[in-house]
């Protein structure tokens, strides 16, 4: 991963008031092994690259965390605790999910098996496209840590490339079309 791209990404994240607000509020919730992932990250970068407003096209702010307690009650308590920290305007935009539970519902919802995970960052290796598989966390010292198992090059090139570890799914075309409707500069490239 290029240090220059990492620095640029962190600078773009810091320049987005809403992303920083979400990161700060979620950090204060002390969730185990948490990250802000996917659309709010690539959307922030693509908005900066194209001169659009910082929150343009960002539908939600996905928070992933990892808690070995896979009960729905445990996840629901975390969801409600985070919701209590959020201002009203952010409540409908922040989605919180325990990555330790994904294997319990994924196949029924998306039609393909999903082996249990061991941590939040491992989930990134299964995202649909390389540009999705990028996550950040605001650390206690205000630094921003980054996880990007496939690098940052595709995101900065505004390219969607399917993740061969995930394979094509029924929602690939719809996801790509939705992204290109918001950012027409984005190119889809078969792996």
């Amino acid at each position: 991963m290029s240090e220059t791209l990492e620095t640029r990404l962190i600078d773009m994240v810091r320049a987005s008031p809403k992303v920083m607000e979400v990161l700060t509020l979620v950090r204060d919730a002390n969730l185990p092994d948490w990250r802000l992932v996917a659309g709010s990250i690539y959307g922030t970068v693509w908005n900066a690259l194209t001169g659009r407003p910082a929150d343009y096209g960002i539908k939600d702010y996905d928070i992933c965390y990892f808690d070995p307690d896979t009960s729905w009650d445990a996840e629901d308590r975390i969801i409600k605790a985070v919701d209590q920290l959020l201002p009203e305007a952010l409540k409908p935009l922040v989605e919180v999910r325990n990555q330790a539970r994904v294997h319990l519902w994924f196949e029924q919802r998306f039609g393909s098996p999903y082996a249990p995970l061991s941590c939040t960052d491992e989930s990134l290796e299964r995202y649909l496209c390389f540009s999705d598989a990028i996550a950040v966390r605001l650390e206690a010292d205000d630094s921003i840590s980054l996880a990007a198992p496939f690098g940052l090059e595709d995101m900065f090139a505004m390219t969607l490339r399917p993740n061969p570890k995930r394979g094509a799914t029924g929602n690939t075309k719809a996801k790509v079309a939705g992204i290109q409707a918001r950012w027409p500069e984005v190119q889809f490239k078969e792996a």
Side-chain angles (χ1 to χ4, degrees):
M1 183 168 11
S2 167
E3 174 99 26
T4 303
L5 293 182
E6 182 176 330
T7 301
R8 287 178 66 197
L9 170 61
I10 291 169
D11 289 347
M12 290 171 178
V13 164
R14 287 195 185 283
S16 172
K18 194 172 283 184
V19 170
M20 288 305 298
E21 181 179 17
V22 170
L23 287 171
T24 302
L25 292 168
V26 175
R27 178 185 62 187
D28 294 347
N30 292 317
L31 302 182
D33 188 23
W34 72 275
R35 295 268 189 197
L36 176 64
V37 301
S40 58
I41 307 303
Y42 66 70
T44 296
V45 170
W46 293 344
N47 288 338
L49 292 174
T50 61
R52 290 182 173 95
D55 346 341
Y56 169 85
I58 297 174
K59 298 188 303 185
D60 55 25
Y61 297 82
D62 294 319
I63 303 296
C64 293
Y65 71 97
F66 193 90
D67 180 353
D69 183 344
T70 60
S71 70
W72 164 246
D73 289 342
E75 184 175 36
D76 193 46
R77 279 192 300 275
I78 297 283
I79 292 168
K80 288 176 179 171
V82 171
D83 191 64
Q84 291 300 309
L85 297 173
L86 300 172
E88 287 303 317
L90 281 177
K91 287 179 189 276
L93 300 176
V94 174
E95 184 173 294
V96 179
R97 292 293 175 259
N98 183 4
Q99 298 304 286
R101 286 182 41 81
V102 175
H103 69 281
L104 300 175
W105 54 261
F106 189 92
E107 186 169 6
Q108 182 177 359
R109 184 166 177 199
F110 293 110
S112 58
Y114 197 94
L117 297 165
S118 62
C119 66
T120 296
D121 287 353
E122 184 184 4
S123 71
L124 297 171
E125 296 172 15
R126 301 185 194 176
Y127 278 44
L128 195 58
C129 295
F130 293 163
S131 290
D132 294 340
I134 298 167
V136 299
R137 176 175 50 236
L138 185 63
E139 302 293 349
D141 67 357
D142 286 334
S143 66
I144 294 177
S145 65
L146 170 68
F150 306 110
L152 301 175
E153 290 79 8
D154 274 6
M155 183 178 58
F156 276 93
M158 297 187 76
T159 297
L160 292 174
R161 184 183 324 274
N163 176 357
K165 291 184 177 184
R166 171 79 183 273
T169 65
N171 67 337
T172 302
K173 287 184 180 182
K175 180 176 179 78
V176 170
I179 289 171
Q180 288 177 324
R182 290 173 281 156
W183 296 280
E185 303 88 349
V186 172
Q187 298 297 309
F188 178 70
K189 294 187 179 177
E190 294 291 340

